[in-house]
Amino acid sequence: MEQEVNWQYVVNALSNQVAQLSQEKAYHEAIIAAQQEEINELKANIPEEKENAE
């Protein structure tokens, strides 16, 4: 017996997965942006730290 595929269910399930993955991607990109900003701030402070050490 062959089961009929409920294509609307498949499309909805895949759409939900895409939405979830898009949210996760945005979340990770926000974390990366924040970390990059912190790295840039730390790099900017390195010359000041070297000058203060001398």
Side-chain angles (χ1 to χ4, degrees):
M1 180 172 132
E2 192 176 323
Q3 270 195 320
E4 203 173 310
V5 176
N6 183 343
W7 290 111
Q8 189 61 49
Y9 176 81
V10 173
V11 168
N12 288 342
L14 291 173
S15 294
N16 289 340
Q17 276 189 308
V18 168
Q20 182 180 358
L21 290 171
S22 295
Q23 286 179 341
E24 289 179 22
K25 181 179 183 250
Y27 175 73
H28 290 291
E29 286 175 346
I31 291 173
I32 290 168
Q35 289 175 335
Q36 191 63 48
E37 188 176 325
E38 187 174 355
I39 288 169
N40 291 338
E41 289 174 9
L42 291 171
K43 281 182 179 179
N45 289 335
I46 288 174
E48 294 173 16
E49 295 296 325
K50 284 183 180 177
E51 288 174 9
N52 291 340
E54 292 174 358

